[in-house]
Amino acid sequence: MMRGMSPYDPSAFPPFAVTVDLVVLTVRRHALCALVVRRGEQPFQGRWALPGGFVREDEDLGAAARRELAEETGLCAHDAGTPPAETSGAHLEQLATYGAPGRDPRMRVVSVAHLALAPDLPAPRPGGDANSARWAPVEELLEPEGAPPHSDEQQTPLAFDHGRILADGVERARSKIEYSSLATAFCPPEFTVGELRRVYEGVWGVALDPRNFHRKVTGTPGFLVPSGGTTTRQGGRPAQLFRAGGATLLNPPMLRPEV
Amino acid sequence: MMRGMSPYDPSAFPPFAVTVDLVVLTVRRHALCALVVRRGEQPFQGRWALPGGFVREDEDLGAAARRELAEETGLCAHDAGTPPAETSGAHLEQLATYGAPGRDPRMRVVSVAHLALAPDLPAPRPGGDANSARWAPVEELLEPEGAPPHSDEQQTPLAFDHGRILADGVERARSKIEYSSLATAFCPPEFTVGELRRVYEGVWGVALDPRNFHRKVTGTPGFLVPSGGTTTRQGGRPAQLFRAGGATLLNPPMLRPEV
DNA sequence: ACAAAAGTGTTGGGAGTACACCCATGT
DNA sequence: ACATGGGTGTACTCCCAACACTTTTGT
C-alpha cells in the first residue's frame, strides 16, 4: 500500500472523521417509512436527517451502528450473520460508505451507512435525546418526482447527502426481500401470512395476490414455521401465526411483479 | 448526530486513517484469480496482500480506488452507474468497509474495499511499483478447506483481514453475475458466447451446458449485441462476436446450478 | 345475512433442463 | 476422416399468474 511515501507515517496520511449513519426502515399503515431526526444545529439546521454519530475510538463499525440504533429506537439489533435470538430485535447490516470531500461543509467526514429493518414500533421514539424524531414515508423524503433535475441542490428535504443514502437503503431493502427472508425483520416475532404480505406490498408499493402469496411463502421450506396459535387481529377468519424460520436465502425467490 | 457532546468539535472525535483496498478479479485459464501484491514492510512482511493505499485529502473514495487500480494494473475503470465507454476499462464498485479496531496493529485504519472486475490481462502487472504482484487463484488465497478452524490466526495466506475482504468480494462477484450483465466485465470488448460461458464457469466453478447457455444469453434482451464479426480463436466452427449490450439487470437471471 | 380476511383447487403458459442433432472450421 | 467447438430443435418438468371456490370469524 501507499507507494511513493513512507507508509503509516502519522504525518503522511490526512485524518478523517468517521461516522455511522442509519437508514432505519419500517412498514407503517401500508407504507415504507424511514426514521429521521430534526437537526438542531448548523448546517442544515431544522432540516431532517438520518440518525447517526461518530465512531468511537476502539469501537467496531457494527458496534457503533448498534449503539446508535439503540440510542435512537431502543431496539436491540443482531448483526447480519448472527442468528436472530428471541429478543425483540431489528436486522442490521452495513449499507455503503459515503466520503465525498464536500459532503459535510465543515470537515472531511467519511460515513459508513448501515441499514436497519424494524417492525412497526408502538412509539415513534421511545427515549431519544434528539430534538425530535419521526417515521416519515420514504416517498416524502426522496426526490419529488415531477421536479426537473436542474436545481441540483435542495432537491431533497434531507440534510447532507442523506437523500442519496436513503435511496440506496430503500433500494437495498426492496431487492433483498426478493431473494432472502429479510421481510420477516419488518414483522413482530409472531405474525400472519397476511401481515407478511402487507410488508411486501408496502416495501414494493404493489398489490400481491393473497392466495398465491400464501401458497408461495408457506411452501418455501425454512421460510416460515407455524407457532401453533391463531389470531383475528386483522378481522375475518382466524389466521395461523408464524415465526421466521431458519432459512435466510429463498429458493425460489419471491417475484416482484411488473419490474 | 453525536448526542451528548459538542458535535464536530475537532477534539471531540478520534482521527482515523482511511484507505481503499482493492479486490481485483479476473478469469485466467478457467479459474477465478485475484491480484495480490507482496508486502515489503512489517507487519506481515513478505506476505501477500490486496493492493490499496491511503485516500488523499480532497479525494473521493471512488477516485482513490480508480487511482489505485490504474497504478496497479494500468486499467481505466468506470464507476458503477457510469455508462461503460469504449475504452478498455474494468468494472469498479464499492464492496464494503472494514474498520475493526485491531485490524491493523499500528493504528486505527478504516478501509473502504472496492471490487474490480477485469478481462484477462496480457501482463500481470504492466508498470506497477510494488515489489511484486501476481494473479493468484482465489482458492489458494482463501482458507484451506481441510484445516480445522481452531488456529484462527495464520489461516489465510493474506495479510491483515484481507482474506475476509477477498472472500466477500468473491461472493459478491459470484452472486452479481447471476442477475446482472456484469460477467461481460471479465471479457474483452468483443467476445464469443463460449468465452462468456467460460467466465461463468470459472467464477462459479461449475460446468454449464453450452447449448442452453447459448440460447439463454442470446435470448435475454439487451445482454449481448452482435458486432458482426466472427472468430475461430477457440478452434472449431467460427463463432459470432458480441459486445456487451445496454442492459445491466438480467431478467430472467442466469441460474447457478446446484446451489 | 353480509363483509372481510384466510385458505385450497385447478388450469394454462413461460422458462429451465436434458439431450439428440446439425454446422463449420483446423489438422 | 476426425476432433473441436458453435448453434438449433424438442420433449418433459416445474413454477407462477389467474381466478373460481370454500372456510371462519365479526357485525
Side-chain angles (χ1 to χ4, degrees):
Chain A
M1 331 176 133
M2 201 57 174
R3 273 142 300 285
M5 69 202 215
S6 175
Y8 297 106
D9 175 357
S11 65
F13 66 89
F16 291 74
V18 176
T19 64
V20 290
D21 284 328
L22 292 179
V23 177
V24 190
L25 299 179
T26 195
V27 178
R28 290 170 71 84
R29 284 164 299 150
H30 232 91
L32 185 63
C33 295
L35 182 66
V36 286
V37 298
R38 171 105 58 187
R39 285 187 57 78
E41 324 92 22
Q42 289 295 341
F44 300 102
Q45 187 170 24
R47 297 271 289 281
W48 295 102
L50 300 177
F54 288 100
V55 177
R56 295 181 181 159
E57 194 129 32
D58 297 323
E59 183 183 43
D60 195 6
L61 300 175
R66 277 191 298 278
R67 173 176 55 77
E68 290 289 338
L69 183 64
E71 289 177 6
E72 220 67 53
T73 67
L75 283 168
C76 162
H78 12 256
D79 223 347
T82 313
E86 289 299 316
T87 72
S88 94
H91 169 88
L92 182 65
E93 68 179 47
Q94 198 187 101
L95 178 59
T97 299
Y98 302 83
R103 63 182 292 275
D104 188 313
R106 293 158 300 180
M107 64 173 78
R108 187 71 197 267
V109 179
V110 168
S111 180
V112 184
H114 287 249
L115 175 67
L117 308 183
D120 193 0
L121 299 175
R125 188 179 51 87
D129 44 1
N131 293 344
S132 59
R134 62 184 268 256
W135 292 106
V138 296
E139 287 83 10
E140 297 179 11
L141 298 174
L142 296 176
E143 317 288 341
E145 299 299 323
H150 296 302
S151 57
D152 43 14
E153 294 282 10
Q154 303 291 94
Q155 274 286 77
T156 168
L158 289 178
F160 304 109
D161 53 0
H162 289 185
R164 157 60 78 122
I165 299 176
L166 175 63
D168 290 348
V170 168
E171 181 49 40
R172 170 86 65 98
R174 284 188 172 143
S175 67
K176 208 156 181 183
I177 64 172
E178 209 163 349
Y179 58 90
S180 81
S181 64
L182 219 58
T184 57
F186 286 111
C187 295
E190 291 200 333
F191 53 90
T192 68
V193 173
E195 288 162 351
L196 183 63
R197 177 171 48 81
R198 278 179 279 278
V199 163
Y200 275 92
E201 292 176 332
V203 174
W204 284 343
V206 298
L208 299 174
D209 186 302
R211 292 83 55 114
N212 293 332
F213 182 88
H214 184 280
R215 203 190 342 260
K216 177 76 181 251
V217 297
T218 55
T220 299
F223 193 10
L224 302 180
V225 293
S227 76
T230 60
T231 183
T232 59
R233 61 185 171 222
Q234 300 290 343
R237 166 175 166 180
Q240 255 192 298
L241 284 170
F242 294 87
R243 299 177 173 278
T248 61
L249 256 50
L250 264 34
N251 216 311
M254 303 295 297
L255 287 188
R256 180 162 25 165
E258 299 291 304
V259 180
Chain B
M1 331 176 130
M2 202 54 174
R3 271 142 300 282
M5 67 203 217
S6 174
Y8 296 106
D9 175 357
S11 66
F13 66 90
F16 290 74
V18 176
T19 64
V20 291
D21 285 329
L22 292 179
V23 177
V24 190
L25 299 179
T26 195
V27 178
R28 291 170 71 85
R29 284 165 298 150
H30 233 91
L32 185 63
C33 296
L35 182 66
V36 287
V37 297
R38 186 162 331 248
R39 285 187 55 79
E41 322 92 22
Q42 290 294 342
F44 300 103
Q45 187 169 24
R47 297 270 290 279
W48 295 102
L50 300 177
F54 288 99
V55 177
R56 296 183 181 157
E57 194 129 32
D58 298 323
E59 183 182 43
D60 195 6
L61 300 175
R66 277 190 298 278
R67 172 175 57 76
E68 290 289 338
L69 182 64
E71 288 177 8
E72 220 66 54
T73 67
L75 283 167
C76 161
H78 13 255
D79 224 345
T82 313
E86 289 298 316
T87 73
S88 93
H91 169 88
L92 183 66
E93 67 178 48
Q94 197 186 103
L95 177 59
T97 298
Y98 302 83
R103 62 182 294 274
D104 188 312
R106 292 160 299 181
M107 64 174 78
R108 186 72 197 267
V109 179
V110 167
S111 179
V112 184
H114 287 250
L115 174 66
L117 309 183
D120 192 0
L121 299 176
R125 189 178 50 86
D129 43 2
N131 293 345
S132 59
R134 62 184 267 256
W135 293 107
V138 296
E139 288 82 11
E140 298 179 10
L141 297 175
L142 296 176
E143 317 288 340
E145 299 300 322
H150 297 302
S151 58
D152 42 13
E153 294 281 9
Q154 303 291 91
Q155 273 287 75
T156 168
L158 288 179
F160 303 108
D161 53 359
H162 289 185
R164 158 60 78 122
I165 299 177
L166 174 63
D168 290 347
V170 167
E171 181 49 40
R172 170 84 64 97
R174 284 189 172 142
S175 68
K176 207 156 181 184
I177 65 172
E178 209 164 349
Y179 58 90
S180 81
S181 64
L182 219 57
T184 58
F186 285 111
C187 295
E190 291 200 334
F191 54 89
T192 69
V193 172
E195 288 163 350
L196 183 64
R197 176 171 49 81
R198 279 178 278 277
V199 163
Y200 275 92
E201 291 177 334
V203 174
W204 284 343
V206 298
L208 300 174
D209 186 302
R211 292 83 56 114
N212 293 333
F213 183 88
H214 184 279
R215 207 191 337 262
K216 177 78 179 250
V217 295
T218 56
T220 300
F223 193 8
L224 302 181
V225 293
S227 76
T230 60
T231 184
T232 59
R233 61 186 171 222
Q234 300 289 344
R237 166 175 166 181
Q240 257 192 296
L241 284 170
F242 293 88
R243 299 177 172 279
T248 60
L249 257 50
L250 263 34
N251 215 307
M254 303 296 297
L255 287 188
R256 182 162 23 167
E258 297 293 303
V259 181

